[in-house]
Amino acid sequence: MKVINKIFSLAATAGVFLAMSSCASESIDYPSESELADASQYTINVTVNQETNEWSASAVSPSGSTKGVRLLWTVYENGTDKKPTVKVADAVAGQIRQKGDYPIELQVMNHAGLSRTMASSTIHIENNLGGDAFMGYEYDSPSNLWKNCSITPSYWFAAAGWSQIATPDINLSNEEISFTCPTDMGGDQWMGQVHLSTNIPVEASEAYDFSIFINPSADADVTVKVQKDGDDNTFFVADKIHFVAGGNFYHFANLPGFDGSLNLTLDFGGNAGKSFVVQNVVFKKHGESNNIILPDTPDCQWVGVDSKDNLWNDAHYTIDMWTSGADWNGGVANPTVKEEGNSIILTYDQAPGTDQWKAQFKLKSDLSLDASKSYDYRVTLGSTSTFFGATIKMTNGADDTFYIDPRVNLYANGDITFGFADLTGKQLDDVMLVFDFGGCPQGTTITIKDIIVQEHRSK
């Protein structure tokens, strides 16, 4: 059935078959199924640049040539549960944002028609584009007040002239919300409102954390407003967030509460015809379980930040900065720097260029690490703005030998802790911790805190 559906969906390619069959009008050569190509005999060659997540695929036939046939590709680059990309081409290429394994299939067309068989392979992506993204607070935690709350929904969708239109069919549960925006919905903010009133009590004497995962069928801007029920002017956040096809998280942490009940308002205005799946809604008191997030929890036991076993406590460092605009000639003011306890606070009054290494911040130390030992490194980053591709690098003073240099995503109003365990086999003299915040918006404040460098400790 899968192959038949593809055949019907390709009616527009009928001309391809006709062009490949040269017959006189008085002698029609009817295609024979026995003459169909056997695509299972073809080999798909997939290459992936694991730094940029760019991939390409080509095919090799049993004869070593694809002359005289056309290749039909089916690529599940948004996952197997989403509509695949179908393309007739000699080769295909693209870029996938999220790590994972993505199936790719090949059928072959010749004068007899489309092959009933297929070749298959996998596009293997090792890293999230921009680094290991924040993966949300733990939904099943007993601290998650959303998981078992009562939800009373209300909706308001409008056309371009602000006249109300019919609400789409919305599947709603605590675990998942899914629907498709009306095709006649308007393009302005607040033209696709979903209000979720709850019985979750909020207290002004407490601080709270929140995370949400939104997966649109195509890139989309969605307003996330976490507010007091019945009071539009009292809220934690009311941010318009860019969500990518395939989905990403938004979160905040340690924001002061109010006295009242929680209402989650989402607005999908401007996304007519797009489908959305909303998952992993977590709302909890700050300081309860799962407050610090390790995107990839290292297999090690961390010492305390103030412990004598934290080697960074004995290090002396100087600060070096370089900030540039789009032309790589500098010319952008370095951030203002304030040090408070274990925290270094940077504020960018001018926006750096969007490329990596255009907002370099370095801590040059006198700490040396021995190649005969293993080490663990951990740092917490906080940002007042959401942006992607910040860099965390641990290198030596000459910057010619380094342990790690991943790129990571930062999200507004929350801290993320990144840990790297069992770093071995390199001599690092005058350890330098290098950060880059190229692409951060003007006015962004970034906090670097709770740095730990320790000899490796297994759990």
Side-chain angles (χ1 to χ4, degrees), residues 271-292:
N271 296 298
K274 295 180 183 178
S275 298
F276 291 87
V277 177
V278 179
Q279 297 170 316
N280 207 90
V281 178
V282 176
F283 183 78
K284 66 184 187 66
K285 291 182 179 180
H286 184 70
E288 295 193 357
S289 65
N290 198 35
N291 185 45
I292 292 179

Side-chain angles (χ1 to χ4, degrees), residues 364-413:
K364 297 182 173 182
S365 81
D366 57 1
L367 174 65
S368 291
L369 304 183
D370 190 334
S372 66
K373 298 180 180 180
S374 300
Y375 297 91
D376 309 320
Y377 169 47
R378 194 172 84 170
V379 63
T380 297
L381 299 179
S383 174
T384 58
S385 301
T386 297
F387 68 99
F388 308 111
T391 302
I392 301 172
K393 185 175 183 179
M394 175 188 272
T395 184
N396 64 356
D399 200 12
D400 57 11
T401 303
F402 65 91
Y403 269 135
I404 49 100
D405 67 342
R407 301 189 71 185
V408 300
N409 299 333
L410 300 183
Y411 297 83
N413 300 319

Side-chain angles (χ1 to χ4, degrees), residues 6-39:
K6 289 177 186 174
I7 293 171
F8 286 133
S9 69
L10 290 165
T13 66
V16 173
F17 304 129
L18 295 176
M20 299 176 66
S21 184
S22 177
C23 306
S25 59
E26 67 275 9
S27 176
I28 299 176
D29 181 16
Y30 290 96
S32 167
E33 186 166 344
S34 64
E35 297 175 326
L36 291 173
D38 183 2

